[in-house]
Amino acid sequence: MNLSNTKTGYYHLTMQLKDYSTLFFLVFFLNAFSQNKISGVIKTDSGETISLVSVYNKTTETKTVSNKNGEFEIERSATGNSELVFYKENYSLLEQTIPASETNTTVVLPRITNLSEVVISKQRDKVFAISKLKDIDETAIYAGKKTEVISINKLTANKATNNARQIFAQVVGLTINESSDGGLQLSIGGRGLNPNRTSNFNTRQNGYDISADVLGYPESYYATPTEALEEIQVVRGAASLQYGTQFGGLVNFKTKTPSSKPIEFVTRNTIGSYNLYTNFSSLSGTSRKFSYYAFYNFKKGDGFRPNSEFKSNNYFANLNYQFTPKTSLHFDYTYFDYLAQQAGGLTDKMFNDDPTQSNRSRNWFAVNWNLFALRFKHKFEDNADFSLQLFGLDASRKAIGFRSNRVSNPDIEGTVRDLIVGDFVNWGAEARYLKQYKINDNTSAFLIGAKYYQSRNTGIQGPGSSGSDANFNLANAEFPFYANQSDYTFPNLNFAFFGENIFKITPHFSITPGFRFEKIKTQAIGSYRKINLDLAGNVILDQTISEDNIKDRNVVLLGIGLSYKPQNRIEFYGNLSQNYRSVTFNDIRTVSPSQVIDPNITDEKGFSSDIGIRGQISDKVTFDASAYALYYDDKIGEYETKNPNGSAAIVRYRANIGTAITYGFETMFDWSVSKTFFEEKENFVWNVFSNVALTDSEYLKSDAPNIQGNKVEFVPLYNIKSGMGIGYKNFMTSLQFTYVSSQFTEANNSKTDANDNTYGIFGQVPSYYVADISTSYKWKKLKLEAGITNFTNNSYFTRRATGYPGPGIIPSDQRTFYTTLEFIF
């Protein structure tokens, strides 16, 4: 026996076994991997392949798009059959169940033309129901959070004037400051948060910041036109971990995506009451790897009160280039410019006598906004996404007017006006990386991100000209006594590092812990004048104070979210998250005759929590019911007191009042009556919705006098919105009713004095109700919309302003009409 030959044979046999085992393992791995995927091809009924078809797996909550050959691949359910939905405009929507044993399929989508508005609406409803904010969406995590998505295409509403009451009708618990300015600004709050210019939310457009200064002045003077939007995303509760420290959470305006045609032109012209005219025109298209969406929006009107005219211009361009199926680059530019005359506020007696009056003819407000954003997206592999955003703002806001805290005082031409000018220059970068991975066949995900942000803003306040025009130049020479009220530079710096992880414990249950580290440095460099007057108007103190105030702090926020889905489309969720709001120097150093700010004011801290259930029942009912609590420490608020600086006037004093809690129950219910009783009628739709928030609040402790035990301001006990939408073929209509109970406007809970004819800044916002109706009819390429807002012609108000556009009561619109004609080419 030749030992060497035996060894050689054994060696060859061993190597062959290894090769076979490697090949066997590779085949097994590929087979196992392929069994976790469903692949297929999508064709027309004539056999042609269809590209860019949206494919949704309702079971796994994943989505994909078919390639140029009509091919797709999507994750299958690990526990059984998969429910897939295939959708593309001008094709029949298809829902198909793929058995667990099937890995490859062929899908046929018939092309359909001349669909009625009702049929299109029904298709959009199905797509919207499954494409709402999911647990994971690109480089964002939403598991366990209270999320709400407004699909603009589903709305029959006054979109031309951004009517927030109609647009946000199905977002629970929001309070809205309404004003007659054509929807140029958006002011929403809720859960005890001041609605003024949405300053308690992190406000974004396509994922990037659009407010004046996220740290020093988080007010939004620009709101994306509703006619340009695809959807509005509202994320509350634990949203602080990914998007910022705000108690309110996130509001993200997502603009429309480019048309799949080479070119599509849309123009909408609206006329309405009080000489309202708006034009919205958009151009979009796709050519190979390049796509674009651009719009121009013009608005002008007179308002329902004298001295309230406005005019605005808004340009937007979105350019996209798809380098590969996994890599893309996106550029946005936004320009917004408007000038508005402000009718000023009213006293309670003036409002009760005639809410349409105005005794301010020299108040003006101007905004110039330039936003830039560059977004890079890359998918490293099937389960890893990266995004990088660079964004910047170059903007200004200017205000001039007669702002006496005695609202009944006449506005006399030839006297000094108050001028405030703010310039905002900031830029930032935000990077995110999300990796999906498997634990026991359950998809978990890890998100890590960082944000850098810096700004250098300036603010001046001084005498304005004695005329009545919109002159925003300082009049120091004309009124030397009022010169140099304040002149400041605000350099701010922020670095944030955040992370979250979805741990999918079972196919039905997940835990999502997260953190956010914030380094915040805010600075105020400048000077202000301190002038005190006695009751006769004589100067008893005139002092210029210089300062270089720096606040540098590090903040760590923690949070956790829980999600349990016992069955498809039903979810129990809960979350708890710490929150933080840095005090704004720009607010501190703005002098107002109606308001004084505590020089020792500091940051707010606290937490927010939600627990609830949401989902769908048999495609007929959509619901979301939850309980929540917001806890504030060092809550910033206002109360009525004698001016502490020695002046004799009564003012609203803004300070850290104490510890407060806001809590309540919120529920949204949408019922498809047509699917319940008229399923066989394809061209008929009838939906009814109810949106109810029951909210209570209390100041738990306070060092300020007579505050402890009081209600928190801006918290109505009842906030109810309900309505219905009915459609037949190409005709759609909606009816909406809103009721908001009374709310206090400052922490000492001052009652309303109906005979007050001096101030108008003290007291409650009384309860009110308002009703709106909107209709639309489509014929081929034309669409006609019309409606009546506040058709019961109620007189009411939602705000007592201490500064612009007041001071005093700001009346809301009375009955108004509008008509819109849309062309699509």
Side-chain angles (χ1 to χ4, degrees):
M1 182 175 180
N2 191 321
L3 188 59
S4 62
N5 288 341
T6 304
K7 288 181 177 180
T8 301
Y10 176 77
Y11 172 79
H12 285 300
L13 177 62
T14 302
M15 292 304 297
Q16 285 179 338
L17 288 174
K18 285 185 177 181
D19 289 341
Y20 283 125
S21 63
T22 301
L23 181 61
F24 174 78
F25 175 78
L26 182 61
V27 171
F28 176 81
F29 175 80
L30 291 174
N31 184 58
F33 181 79
S34 66
Q35 288 178 352
N36 289 326
K37 300 282 184 176
I38 301 170
S39 59
V41 62
I42 306 171
K43 298 181 178 182
T44 65
D45 42 6
S46 60
E48 300 171 348
T49 59
I50 315 174
S51 62
L52 300 177
V53 177
S54 297
V55 184
Y56 299 89
N57 188 331
K58 294 195 290 185
T59 312
T60 61
E61 294 188 340
T62 54
K63 62 181 179 181
T64 188
V65 178
S66 63
N67 63 18
K68 62 181 180 180
N69 298 317
E71 299 165 339
F72 72 92
E73 188 175 72
I74 194 167
E75 182 180 348
R76 68 159 57 252
S77 170
T79 58
N81 299 340
S82 296
E83 296 182 52
L84 301 188
V85 178
F86 302 87
Y87 173 73
K88 184 175 182 177
E89 285 191 15
N90 301 320
Y91 290 87
S92 240
L93 181 141
L94 177 66
E95 296 183 81
Q96 187 167 314
T97 299
I98 307 298
S101 59
E102 189 173 333
T103 59
N104 195 279
T105 186
T106 298
V107 178
V108 176
L109 289 186
R111 178 184 286 273
I112 298 180
T113 57
N114 298 324
L115 292 176
S116 74
E117 280 289 273
V118 167
V119 174
I120 293 173
S121 175
K122 286 182 175 182
Q123 290 199 354
R124 284 173 177 162
D125 281 348
K126 290 181 179 180
V127 174
F128 174 72
I130 56 179
S131 63
K132 291 178 69 174
L133 292 182
K134 300 180 176 60
D135 289 355
I136 302 168
D137 192 0
E138 293 186 345
T139 55
I141 289 177
Y142 300 109
K145 299 176 176 62
K146 186 171 181 66
T147 62
E148 291 148 307
V149 181
I150 303 166
S151 179
I152 303 302
N153 282 331
K154 294 178 61 180
L155 299 180
T156 304
N158 187 354
K159 301 174 186 177
T161 60
N162 298 347
N163 190 310
R165 187 175 62 243
Q166 292 180 293
I167 293 163
F168 289 88
Q170 295 197 38
V171 178
V172 294
L174 289 186
T175 50
I176 301 169
N177 279 353
E178 301 176 17
S179 58
S180 179
D181 61 0
L184 298 178
Q185 293 182 18
L186 175 68
S187 292
I188 58 173
R191 299 179 170 182
L193 302 172
N194 191 338
N196 187 39
R197 297 193 184 99
T198 320
S199 58
N200 284 288
F201 285 90
N202 180 236
T203 312
R204 300 191 176 200
Q205 175 180 271
N206 293 332
Y208 52 86
D209 293 307
I210 62 173
S211 59
D213 185 325
V214 175
L215 298 173
Y217 199 61
E219 301 193 6
S220 298
Y221 289 98
Y222 168 68
T224 314
T226 305
E227 291 168 304
L229 293 176
E230 184 174 283
E231 64 183 33
I232 303 173
Q233 302 168 343
V234 181
V235 185
R236 291 192 269 187
S240 62
L241 300 179
Q242 290 184 70
Y243 300 104
T245 65
Q246 290 84 354
F247 282 85
L250 167 77
V251 176
N252 183 39
F253 300 98
K254 186 177 178 182
T255 58
K256 290 180 179 178
T257 53
S259 170
S260 58
K261 304 174 185 176
I263 184 169
E264 180 180 84
F265 178 69
V266 178
T267 183
R268 292 167 54 88
N269 290 275
T270 300
I271 57 173
S273 302
Y274 311 107
N275 295 319
L276 173 71
Y277 170 72
T278 77
N279 170 265
F280 177 87
S281 297
S282 68
L283 194 66
S284 70
T286 301
S287 177
R288 297 183 179 178
K289 295 183 177 183
F290 175 73
S291 62
Y292 62 94
Y293 176 75
F295 71 75
Y296 168 68
N297 187 210
F298 171 78
K299 292 182 181 181
K300 74 179 185 69
D302 292 337
F304 80 99
R305 300 170 64 200
N307 309 314
S308 56
E309 63 179 280
F310 59 87
K311 182 183 290 186
S312 74
N313 291 281
N314 187 189
Y315 303 89
F316 172 83
N318 163 242
L319 308 176
N320 312 279
Y321 192 79
Q322 194 77 36
F323 293 98
T324 71
K326 296 184 178 181
T327 306
S328 60
L329 189 66
H330 313 263
F331 173 76
D332 286 6
Y333 171 66
T334 304
Y335 172 80
F336 179 57
D337 179 85
Y338 84 82
L339 175 67
Q341 189 174 15
Q342 298 185 320
L346 304 177
T347 67
D348 287 85
K349 187 175 187 307
M350 292 169 67
F351 176 80
N352 292 329
D353 289 345
D354 180 9
T356 67
Q357 66 178 296
S358 164
N359 66 345
R360 298 286 182 263
S361 59
R362 304 191 300 147
N363 290 15
W364 296 88
F365 193 84
V367 164
N368 184 276
W369 228 246
N370 289 272
L371 281 163
F372 309 85
L374 183 66
R375 303 188 303 280
F376 174 78
K377 298 179 182 180
H378 179 69
K379 186 180 284 290
F380 287 104
E381 48 194 79
D382 288 341
N383 57 357
D385 290 88
F386 172 78
S387 66
L388 174 64
Q389 286 205 121
L390 304 176
F391 55 91
L393 171 70
D394 184 1
S396 68
R397 51 86 78 184
K398 302 174 182 179
I400 187 170
F402 181 68
R403 294 197 302 152
S404 169
N405 66 344
R406 294 176 176 266
V407 174
S408 57
N409 285 353
D411 182 5
I412 302 173
E413 188 166 356
T415 59
V416 66
R417 292 183 289 176
D418 189 32
L419 173 69
I420 301 176
V421 177
D423 291 309
F424 311 101
V425 178
N426 59 64
W427 71 274
E430 185 175 62
R432 291 165 171 263
Y433 175 78
L434 187 144
K435 170 71 174 178
Q436 297 186 48
Y437 59 95
K438 294 279 189 178
I439 298 179
N440 296 330
D441 290 329
N442 299 315
T443 301
S444 296
F446 170 68
L447 167 69
I448 196 75
K451 179 181 179 181
Y452 177 84
Y453 179 84
Q454 72 171 47
S455 62
R456 189 174 182 84
N457 308 320
T458 60
I460 61 172
Q461 184 173 5
S465 69
S466 59
S468 59
D469 60 341
N471 182 347
F472 297 105
N473 297 312
L474 281 169
N476 288 330
E478 187 178 3
F479 299 102
F481 173 75
Y482 296 97
N484 304 319
Q485 288 183 339
S486 70
D487 189 347
Y488 274 84
T489 299
F490 303 100
N492 294 328
L493 180 67
N494 176 223
F495 173 74
F497 181 64
F498 54 89
E500 292 191 34
N501 198 110
I502 298 179
F503 292 102
K504 204 72 174 289
I505 308 302
T506 72
H508 306 291
F509 178 65
S510 66
I511 302 176
T512 308
F515 74 92
R516 187 178 185 92
F517 168 77
E518 290 262 354
K519 179 177 177 59
I520 302 173
K521 182 180 180 181
T522 53
Q523 191 171 1
I525 307 169
S527 62
Y528 70 98
R529 287 181 68 189
K530 187 176 182 181
I531 302 175
N532 294 347
L533 307 175
D534 61 19
L535 286 174
N538 301 309
V539 177
I540 58 178
L541 175 69
D542 186 351
Q543 181 182 9
T544 298
I545 301 173
S546 298
E547 62 180 349
D548 185 350
N549 197 339
I550 300 175
K551 289 180 70 69
D552 194 351
R553 57 276 205 204
N554 297 324
V555 180
V556 177
L557 304 174
L558 302 176
I560 189 168
L562 305 175
S563 173
Y564 175 63
K565 301 176 182 178
Q567 62 188 67
N568 194 22
R569 302 192 190 181
I570 299 292
E571 178 184 14
F572 293 89
Y573 63 92
N575 63 73
L576 176 67
S577 177
Q578 292 177 293
N579 297 102
Y580 180 86
R581 182 182 184 273
S582 60
V583 67
T584 63
F585 284 113
N586 216 357
D587 282 341
I588 292 175
R589 290 299 170 239
T590 300
V591 179
S592 170
S594 304
Q595 182 187 62
V596 174
I597 301 180
D598 182 354
N600 298 315
I601 195 170
T602 188
D603 306 323
E604 287 180 308
K605 298 173 288 292
F607 66 83
S608 56
S609 61
D610 294 275
I611 184 170
I613 179 174
R614 60 191 170 200
Q616 288 182 280
I617 302 174
S618 302
D619 290 328
K620 297 178 177 64
V621 174
T622 302
F623 66 93
D624 188 343
S626 65
Y628 81 91
L630 257 68
Y631 177 88
Y632 312 81
D633 199 14
D634 292 324
K635 176 172 171 36
I636 295 174
E638 299 177 358
Y639 59 94
E640 178 185 348
T641 186
K642 184 177 179 180
N643 197 328
N645 68 10
S647 294
I650 300 297
V651 295
R652 290 258 291 263
Y653 192 65
R654 185 170 176 81
N656 297 102
I657 295 179
T659 301
I661 187 170
T662 303
Y663 55 93
F665 177 74
E666 300 172 338
T667 178
M668 197 286 294
F669 177 87
D670 190 299
W671 174 36
S672 175
V673 180
S674 55
K675 289 181 182 178
T676 305
F677 299 110
F678 309 101
E679 185 74 38
E680 72 284 353
K681 295 188 177 181
E682 184 184 40
N683 281 302
F684 177 68
V685 63
W686 181 9
N687 277 67
V688 176
F689 80 90
S690 173
N691 170 357
V692 178
L694 305 177
T695 312
D696 206 352
S697 62
E698 184 180 355
Y699 277 100
L700 302 176
K701 60 181 180 181
S702 175
D703 294 331
N706 305 315
I707 299 297
Q708 185 169 323
N710 284 0
K711 301 296 183 185
V712 176
E713 55 270 43
F714 311 115
V715 181
L717 179 60
Y718 302 106
N719 189 339
I720 301 171
K721 299 177 182 68
S722 62
M724 65 178 179
I726 297 177
Y728 180 68
K729 292 186 177 180
N730 287 316
F731 178 80
M732 308 286 287
T733 186
S734 69
L735 176 67
Q736 180 183 316
F737 174 83
T738 300
Y739 172 78
V740 180
S741 62
S742 64
Q743 55 189 289
F744 294 106
T745 59
E746 19 70 40
N748 54 353
N749 293 182
S750 298
K751 302 294 184 181
T752 297
D753 180 3
N755 297 314
D756 169 33
N757 198 28
T758 304
Y759 297 108
I761 62 173
F762 307 116
Q764 297 167 276
V765 171
S767 61
Y768 66 90
Y769 72 89
V770 60
D772 309 295
I773 187 169
S774 296
T775 60
S776 72
Y777 180 78
K778 184 176 181 181
W779 181 71
K780 296 183 178 180
K781 299 291 185 179
L782 304 180
K783 191 175 188 180
L784 180 67
E785 301 175 7
I788 308 172
T789 56
N790 188 13
F791 65 75
T792 56
N793 203 29
N794 285 2
S795 295
Y796 69 101
F797 64 91
T798 60
R799 183 183 181 191
R800 292 181 183 268
T802 55
Y804 290 105
I809 292 170
I810 309 300
S812 298
D813 282 358
Q814 296 193 325
R815 181 190 294 128
T816 58
F817 304 83
Y818 74 92
T819 301
T820 301
L821 184 61
E822 175 185 283
F823 295 83
I824 300 179
F825 302 98

